[in-house]
Amino acid sequence: MTLDVSWAIAWVRGTAQTVAEHRDELVELDRQIGDGDHGENLTRGFTAVIQRLDALEEPPAEVGDVLKLVATTLMSTVGGAAGPLYGTAYLRAAKATGAPRLDSAGVVALLEGALEGIVVRGKSTTGEKTMVDAWSPAVEAAVLAADAGLDPAGVLAAAADAAERGAEATIPMVASKGRASYLGERSAGHRDPGAESSALVLRAAAWAAAEATA
Amino acid sequence: MTASATARVALVLVSHSDQLARGAVELAAQMAPNVLLVPAGGDGTGGLGTSFEQVERALDLATAEGRSAVVLTDLGSAVLTTESVLDLADPELAARVRLADAPFVEGAVAAAVTAHGGADLDAVLAAAEHAGSTFAPTGDPGTPAAAVPSGEPAEGEAVVALRNPLGLHARPAAVLARMVAGFDAAVTVDGVNAASVLELMKLGAAGGQSLTVRSTGPEGRAALDAVVAAIEGGFGEV
């Protein structure tokens, strides 16, 4: 099986929904180690994405078109660091997916593109208590799942599981990038909000894929 | 060349706050009336944050008519948003833009004054980036560190290793500065005024590094002992 543009749209709608549902939780996580606006900013960004998607005269032709719309909208509307970080992630993911349908290798390429975007924009690596700590294990798990012959839904489920473990693993970390780094050692003991929202985004992708293949 | 802006290099000031961006423009403009200064503050809807579209518009305006531009930013997302705009911009435009690693206000003023004199892109960028040294004029004569009353015998000196793995970052620097301010003494750490958070942070002292603490004044001995104890104690972090 492969994933097409209707999956990408379902993913984006699912992300908007899950981000809105977890808005308060993300705000609280960010309030502990950042400036408290992550849940608010992401909810505003994805609400704008849905509005722009609904306003399109014709549905996007390819997965990459959906991802590009998400990228440009988030960059314009989020207002915090998550805007350019997620924006660049979706933009690189869009560049990596120039086909109407994605097989397992295509899904891996999408995730690798997203991770590359976050690393390039944030100049961050693993262990710094950032989104990278969710995306990096997600990509590793996706590669293994694809190599093991799993279908795209299986690859995304593996990526989402790994992202959730990665977000959990940020709790004891001391932040060395972003606003949380101003807290130094006091940033330990809190889950990183960016890693948490990344896990939500990837879970939404897995759910949409499971729906598409059900 | 009849327009008010005749300098070859314009400035774009990207802040989370619209008022901060406009205020910095106002301040720099007073000293450099011939420079085009473009504010790009806030999220574009009246809130705090940065806006891709606002930064994009500001850069288009700043680089019109063949001008180059130096961009100054405040906090993290202002940098990320500007880098994103430059990533997606026409390469010819992006090639005429530099993102300064500089303090927002001091950098803007220094860059504007230099641009006003007709300097080129590299010189304006250098002026912005050199403005950071305003905070910690180490090595310059007449710095706060040199404000120790002359003729007074030094009360003490100690060399002590910094145990904090992250070095002398914001929190321990603030602890140290507040502690020193409580004594009737003049204390320096590696030559900078230990009562200044910014100067301490600017040392960039890393974990494991040895720091030289000097202290003078009526309570110089007690201040030295307290500072040494705080550093040896890892500021309660390790």
Side-chain angles (χ1 to χ4, degrees):
Chain A
M1 56 139 310
T2 53
L3 297 174
D4 60 11
V5 70
S6 61
W7 163 76
I9 291 171
W11 174 21
V12 172
R13 291 193 186 280
T15 302
Q17 193 181 338
T18 191
V19 162
E21 282 167 5
H22 291 83
R23 177 189 165 281
D24 292 349
E25 186 188 318
L26 293 172
V27 164
E28 179 56 24
L29 288 177
D30 196 26
R31 197 190 57 74
Q32 289 161 352
I33 59 169
D35 49 9
D37 61 4
H38 191 59
E40 188 69 49
N41 285 347
L42 274 191
T43 302
R44 181 173 59 240
F46 275 98
T47 301
V49 169
I50 299 304
Q51 282 168 355
R52 290 191 191 182
L53 202 56
D54 288 343
L56 290 178
E57 304 257 322
E58 288 177 21
E62 293 187 355
V63 170
D65 298 333
V66 178
L67 300 178
K68 196 168 179 197
L69 180 135
V70 176
T72 52
T73 309
L74 292 183
M75 280 195 191
S76 305
T77 57
V78 168
L85 286 169
Y86 273 120
T88 310
Y90 280 97
L91 206 60
R92 297 280 175 126
K95 282 186 186 166
T97 54
R101 304 183 74 86
L102 301 182
D103 56 10
S104 293
V107 169
V108 168
L110 184 161
L111 298 177
E112 284 175 339
L115 172 61
E116 183 202 302
I118 293 163
V119 167
V120 164
R121 184 60 64 230
K123 301 176 191 72
S124 189
T125 181
T126 50
E128 296 184 318
K129 203 180 181 86
T130 71
M131 292 163 68
V132 175
D133 292 310
W135 283 93
S136 185
V139 167
E140 284 173 20
V143 169
L144 289 176
D147 286 351
L150 269 66
D151 68 1
V155 170
L156 284 169
D161 289 346
E164 279 161 14
R165 287 194 299 274
E168 185 77 18
T170 63
I171 293 175
M173 291 178 184
V174 173
S176 54
K177 280 286 186 320
R179 196 74 66 92
S181 66
Y182 298 171
L183 291 178
E185 302 276 343
R186 280 184 297 148
S187 63
H190 303 281
R191 183 189 301 245
D192 179 64
E196 180 66 12
S197 66
S198 298
L200 294 176
V201 166
L202 287 165
R203 181 56 68 195
W207 278 335
E211 288 280 311
T213 56
Chain B
M1 300 293 274
T2 54
S4 63
T6 57
R8 291 185 287 164
V9 183
L11 300 188
V12 175
L13 304 186
V14 184
S15 169
H16 280 58
S17 156
D18 181 43
Q19 291 193 58
L20 184 52
R22 290 177 191 280
V25 162
E26 183 186 17
L27 188 62
Q30 191 186 30
M31 293 171 235
N34 286 353
V35 180
L36 177 62
L37 303 161
V38 189
D43 66 359
T45 61
L48 295 176
T50 50
S51 153
F52 185 90
E53 282 161 5
Q54 282 215 100
V55 173
E56 195 175 39
R57 272 200 302 272
L59 273 172
D60 281 343
L61 183 59
T63 54
E65 294 161 27
R67 279 183 300 268
S68 306
V70 169
V71 185
L72 287 114
T73 54
D74 59 4
L75 301 169
S77 84
V79 179
L80 300 186
T81 300
T82 304
E83 287 176 345
S84 298
V85 170
L86 291 174
D87 246 17
L88 299 180
D90 178 350
E92 191 279 322
L93 183 153
R96 284 184 282 131
V97 176
R98 297 285 183 277
L99 181 53
D101 179 12
F104 193 63
V105 174
E106 291 81 353
V109 169
V113 170
T114 303
H116 184 81
D120 64 11
L121 184 59
D122 287 342
V124 175
L125 179 71
E129 297 193 334
H130 182 70
S133 62
T134 313
F135 291 127
T138 42
D140 289 354
T143 65
V148 176
S150 58
E152 279 199 45
E155 291 282 345
E157 177 177 325
V159 177
V160 51
L162 186 60
R163 293 177 50 223
N164 300 59
L166 290 177
L168 199 54
H169 63 88
R171 199 196 71 89
V175 168
L176 193 52
R178 283 198 300 269
M179 176 186 289
V180 167
F183 289 97
D184 184 9
V187 181
T188 63
V189 172
D190 280 6
V192 308
N193 182 4
S196 164
V197 178
L198 284 171
E199 291 197 23
L200 289 173
M201 286 170 65
K202 195 134 187 298
L203 281 177
Q209 188 175 329
S210 287
L211 299 172
T212 302
V213 185
R214 288 196 183 86
S215 176
T216 61
E219 297 180 348
R221 189 71 239 173
L224 181 69
D225 291 345
V227 168
V228 168
I231 297 172
E232 282 178 345
F235 299 95
E237 288 186 340
V238 285

